[in-house]
Amino acid sequence: MLLQRKRARAGARARHTAEHTVNWADGRLPVSEGGGLLRKAFPEHWSFLLGEIALYSFVVLLLTGVWLTLFFKPSMTEVLYDGSYEPLVGVSMSEAYRSTVDISFDVRGGLLIRQVHHWAALVFVSAIGVHLLRIFFTGAFRRPREVNWLIGVTLFLLALVEGFAGYSLPDDLLSGTGLRIAQGVLQSVPVVGTYLTMFAFGGQYPGHDIVPRLYSLHILLLPGLLLALVTVHLILVFYLKHTQWAGRGRTNRNVVGKPLFPNFMANSTGLFFTVFGVLTVLAAVAQINPIWTYGPYRPDIISSGSQPDWYVGFLEGSLRLMPPFETAVAGHTVMWNVLVPAVLLPGALFTVLYAYPFFERWVTGDHEEHHLCDRPRDKPVRTGLGVAAIVFYGVLLLAGGNDILAHTFQLSLNLLTWIFRISLVLAPLLAFVVAKRVCLALQERDRERLAEGEETGEVHQTLAGGYAESNGPLDPEERHVLRSRREPEPLAPSSEEGDGPHVGRLRATLSEWYYGDRVDVEGGEPEQGRESALEAAPGQPGAPERDAYSGEPER
């Protein structure tokens, strides 16, 4: 009895302390207003983790980057090396290169942190790219998430620039080669190219200001922009609610998943430590960017077989595939062989990325809000365009290593270059056709499964003496997903909303191209946006799973 009274008094004191603490915090912070936020639902699907991997890689980048700034010296002043790495003793090098070598060999744990930082940068850019592909193929960029798509593309662009800036800071022979290419790209800009080069490098190449200026961009401006945009991106994700895959109980008016606290936070915390652990293991066992083997940068030397990090490899490939072509205009030489592949092509690619959500909305006439993800097979044209873009990028990436491929496989470099040039035009077109036909075939297969059921693999003999395979009923969840697909009709030619007759016909033609080829589902169910999972009784079709949490209806 005495022990029970002590426990009761201790519990009462704990409750009183907790209540007092909450009241104190609520009087100074919006604690009570954030209580509903902790119950916000997050859908469960592996594809939704891609954005979290990018976020946690960025956190690792910030942590390791702060540590590296304590030892790195962003100076191009020439010094003689006298450190512990004997092959470089007595070699003239910049202080930037010297400090990077010292971090690798003389600072305890320096090489490990350097390699964690580099691997995290690669994973960060990769995760953003794959996350953008997931959003594109599932249609998660549509209204009301167009702004978040623009932010995501901007994050991808800034990540590329941030990665190149960090890659160039050690001033080794490989990164110096990349800076030499960047200098040629700047000079290719008509009229102002020379001024841009002088401003960036602080004088004639190689100058003495490029590393300090890249350092300021790498540790201040670009991380600040990335952090600000990531914050806005997450705020919009919370405000607009998360997209989710179609299914029973999932509609355009709710979110079914795990609550933010404690389920999602526990899973997300575990993912963070997993990402950190995997990056640390990679840094420990997989060597990356061994600058001591490249040596310090010298303008008169270039290493054979030099390759940039993968995210700028497509620029290397575009430069190698462009034929030599220059013109002189009003005393100025326009280097099309550099301007087109290194300036105009990337600009066109990112312009297409920025404009695509608005282009699709204009072509399809779809102005509705969408909170359910599309299956890629249900949008064959969009999927075909995405696959074609991936193949286009892949050809450029492979072309960036055409010399390595030619040497490895004993091929003619000139022949391989022409193969890549032809493939750059034909391969994306072929990929689009194949991807579209595969999507339509999968749609046809879905309709057959709805009409005939799932194949069981059991064969029986009919009364007529033949053989037939028996089919079983589809899973109710899968049947619901297959029957919920709805495709609008192509737009008719019109000149509404201020469009001229030619624009109206073009829009109708593109709409027919986008929606014309499809396999409609017979006997579909009512539109999902009109259902209400909250009204369905547990255990009935349309009700959420028992272990799922259905978030609040749409704002």
Side-chain angles (χ1 to χ4, degrees):
M1 294 295 294
L2 181 60
L3 183 59
Q4 291 180 352
R5 291 195 190 97
K6 289 183 177 180
R7 289 180 177 176
R9 285 195 296 269
R13 285 195 298 268
R15 287 191 296 270
H16 176 74
T17 303
E19 182 179 358
H20 177 74
T21 303
V22 171
N23 290 334
W24 180 89
D26 191 44
R28 296 160 177 80
L29 299 170
V31 175
S32 59
E33 288 79 357
L37 186 64
L38 296 179
R39 300 299 297 168
K40 186 175 182 63
F42 280 81
E44 289 185 298
H45 193 270
W46 66 266
S47 62
F48 297 138
L49 300 179
L50 297 170
E52 293 184 52
I53 293 175
L55 175 63
Y56 296 143
S57 300
F58 182 57
V59 172
V60 175
L61 280 171
L62 293 178
L63 295 176
T64 54
V66 169
W67 189 90
L68 290 173
T69 58
L70 302 176
F71 305 97
F72 181 73
K73 297 179 181 179
S75 173
M76 300 186 71
T77 303
E78 292 292 320
V79 296
L80 292 178
Y81 182 75
D82 57 355
S84 60
Y85 186 67
E86 294 185 359
L88 291 176
V89 172
V91 176
S92 177
M93 59 185 63
S94 66
E95 284 194 353
Y97 183 81
R98 162 67 186 266
S99 63
T100 308
V101 175
D102 288 342
I103 291 173
S104 302
F105 292 105
D106 298 321
V107 176
R108 186 178 296 274
L111 181 58
L112 179 66
I113 300 299
R114 264 197 66 232
Q115 299 207 146
V116 169
H117 191 73
H118 202 123
W119 276 114
L122 296 181
V123 173
F124 177 57
V125 180
S126 302
I128 293 180
V130 180
H131 182 56
L132 283 174
L133 289 177
R134 197 277 298 177
I135 293 174
F136 177 83
F137 284 115
T138 61
F141 55 81
R142 295 172 296 177
R143 182 183 175 188
R145 296 177 180 83
E146 301 96 334
V147 174
N148 238 1
W149 169 262
L150 300 180
I151 292 175
V153 175
T154 305
L155 283 171
F156 186 59
L157 177 60
L158 291 177
L160 295 180
V161 179
E162 173 77 335
F164 179 76
Y167 170 83
S168 304
L169 287 179
D171 197 34
D172 59 283
L173 187 57
L174 184 61
S175 65
T177 302
L179 283 177
R180 183 61 166 171
I181 296 175
Q183 183 248 359
V185 171
L186 287 177
Q187 283 191 326
S188 70
V189 180
V191 182
V192 298
T194 304
Y195 300 99
L196 292 176
T197 304
M198 296 291 288
F199 172 76
F201 290 86
Q204 293 291 337
Y205 183 84
H208 292 84
D209 295 334
I210 183 63
V211 168
R213 289 175 178 173
L214 284 177
Y215 184 70
S216 299
L217 290 174
H218 185 68
I219 70 168
L220 291 176
L221 180 60
L222 293 176
L225 290 175
L226 286 169
L227 188 59
L229 289 177
V230 166
T231 302
V232 175
H233 179 76
L234 293 177
I235 291 174
L236 289 177
V237 168
F238 271 77
Y239 177 70
L240 298 174
K241 76 180 183 178
H242 213 295
T243 56
Q244 59 184 345
W245 291 98
R248 293 191 301 171
R250 300 179 177 91
T251 74
N252 270 318
R253 300 175 58 188
N254 75 336
V255 178
V256 177
K258 298 296 184 182
L260 174 63
F261 181 83
N263 304 71
F264 178 78
M265 291 184 64
N267 295 339
S268 190
T269 303
L271 179 63
F272 167 71
F273 286 111
T274 300
V275 170
F276 208 152
V278 170
L279 291 175
T280 305
V281 171
L282 279 174
V285 302
Q287 186 182 74
I288 189 170
N289 199 27
I291 61 165
W292 53 89
T293 64
Y294 306 146
Y297 178 67
R298 286 177 49 183
D300 60 330
I301 297 178
I302 183 172
S303 59
S304 61
S306 58
Q307 298 291 314
D309 283 339
W310 72 268
Y311 47 83
V312 291
F314 76 101
L315 288 177
E316 179 82 8
S318 63
L319 285 168
R320 296 189 182 195
L321 293 186
M322 182 69 183
F325 182 47
E326 300 177 357
T327 56
V329 179
H332 296 278
T333 300
V334 181
M335 301 184 298
W336 299 106
N337 55 325
V338 179
L339 179 65
V340 171
V343 179
L344 299 183
L345 178 62
L349 291 177
F350 277 95
T351 300
V352 170
L353 287 176
Y354 279 116
Y356 184 82
F358 309 99
F359 167 77
E360 182 175 305
R361 185 175 63 185
W362 178 74
V363 168
T364 62
D366 184 4
H367 296 276
E368 300 293 329
E369 288 195 3
H370 296 275
H371 302 286
L372 294 177
C373 296
D374 291 328
R375 295 190 308 164
R377 69 180 65 180
D378 295 336
K379 302 292 182 180
V381 173
R382 181 201 296 158
T383 301
L385 291 174
V387 172
I390 294 174
V391 171
F392 183 83
Y393 174 85
V395 172
L396 290 179
L397 187 62
L398 290 174
N402 60 351
D403 54 339
I404 304 296
L405 295 174
H407 175 73
T408 302
F409 296 102
Q410 300 298 312
L411 299 174
S412 167
L413 180 61
N414 185 61
L415 174 63
L416 193 59
T417 300
W418 273 104
I419 290 175
F420 281 131
R421 286 173 177 172
I422 297 173
S423 300
L424 189 64
V425 178
L426 298 182
L429 297 176
L430 180 62
F432 172 81
V433 174
V434 172
K436 182 179 177 181
R437 298 313 305 173
V438 169
C439 290
L440 293 174
L442 291 174
Q443 290 184 22
E444 182 67 31
R445 174 59 180 159
D446 288 342
R447 185 167 69 173
E448 291 179 359
R449 293 174 64 202
L450 278 174
E452 302 175 4
E454 192 73 73
E455 295 180 356
T456 63
E458 298 178 357
V459 179
H460 62 275
Q461 189 173 17
T462 64
L463 295 176
Y467 292 92
E469 183 180 16
S470 60
N471 294 333
L474 282 180
D475 178 75
E477 175 74 15
E478 190 169 4
R479 175 175 289 274
H480 178 87
V481 172
L482 296 181
R483 299 186 68 181
S484 64
R485 180 170 62 89
R486 284 292 176 273
E487 296 296 332
E489 295 294 331
L491 298 177
S494 65
S495 58
E496 297 179 358
E497 300 179 1
D499 291 343
H502 298 291
V503 176
R505 285 196 293 270
L506 174 62
R507 184 183 184 189
T509 301
L510 291 175
S511 181
E512 176 65 29
W513 167 69
Y514 199 92
Y515 281 133
D517 294 334
R518 62 185 180 182
V519 179
D520 291 321
V521 177
E522 301 294 339
E525 295 176 354
E527 184 179 350
Q528 288 202 24
R530 299 178 183 176
E531 299 175 0
S532 176
L534 302 179
E535 298 175 356
Q540 298 297 324
E545 296 84 346
R546 291 188 176 183
D547 60 343
Y549 169 71
S550 181
E552 70 284 353
E554 185 180 356
R555 50 186 170 74

